[in-house]
Amino acid sequence: MKTTIHYTFLPHTDAEAALAFYRDTLGFEVRNDVGYEDMRWITVGPVGQPETSIVLQPPTAGPDLTEDDRRSIMELVSKGVFAAITLGTDDLDGLFKRVEAAGATVVHEPTDQPYGVRDCAFRDPAGNLVRINQLT
């Protein structure tokens, strides 16, 4: 039996800024862009890996959320502690330079970790932690 990751979800607070970061800076392809009323769900993923995607979603969309839930979620999103993702690359230093040049908030610069990876971290436009690893 094989189990894979098909979708993961990250909140976005600005669809155009999310597109600029994930498509233009990280180089992901846009797989779907769906709007409903004033909300937008954007599915992106790495080129050549159609089975793995990130859905960038409005953080407070959902019929079962109360107004208190929505307030709490937006507080966590605004603090940058609501969601995170770890990506992999074969050129960490090159990708770091590209993401930094695009103006993303740097959390930490490329560092060799004792557990076998070299990594760095940024915040995406919504404040989500984006960690990028390269196996050493």
Side-chain angles (χ1 to χ4, degrees), residues 96 99-101 103-110 120-123:
F96 176 84
V99 176
E100 183 180 40
T105 301
V106 175
V107 175
H108 83 77
E109 295 189 4
C120 65
F122 293 92
R123 297 266 178 219

Side-chain angles (χ1 to χ4, degrees), residues 8-81:
T8 190
F9 292 79
L10 288 177
H12 76 74
T13 54
D14 178 330
E16 293 305 318
L19 269 174
F21 183 78
Y22 287 94
R23 180 193 59 206
D24 303 336
T25 302
L26 293 179
F28 287 166
E29 62 186 6
V30 176
R31 305 214 171 117
N32 209 354
D33 190 338
V34 178
Y36 175 73
E37 296 180 355
D38 62 345
M39 297 176 286
R40 213 164 142 196
W41 288 258
I42 303 163
T43 304
V44 297
V47 174
Q49 296 179 41
E51 69 283 355
T52 303
S53 299
I54 300 168
V55 179
L56 304 166
Q57 67 175 3
T60 58
D64 299 329
L65 297 175
T66 67
E67 284 308 311
D68 284 342
D69 293 338
R70 287 183 173 88
R71 264 191 303 282
S72 296
I73 289 168
M74 287 310 298
E75 285 175 18
L76 293 170
V77 168
S78 70
K79 291 178 183 179
V81 297

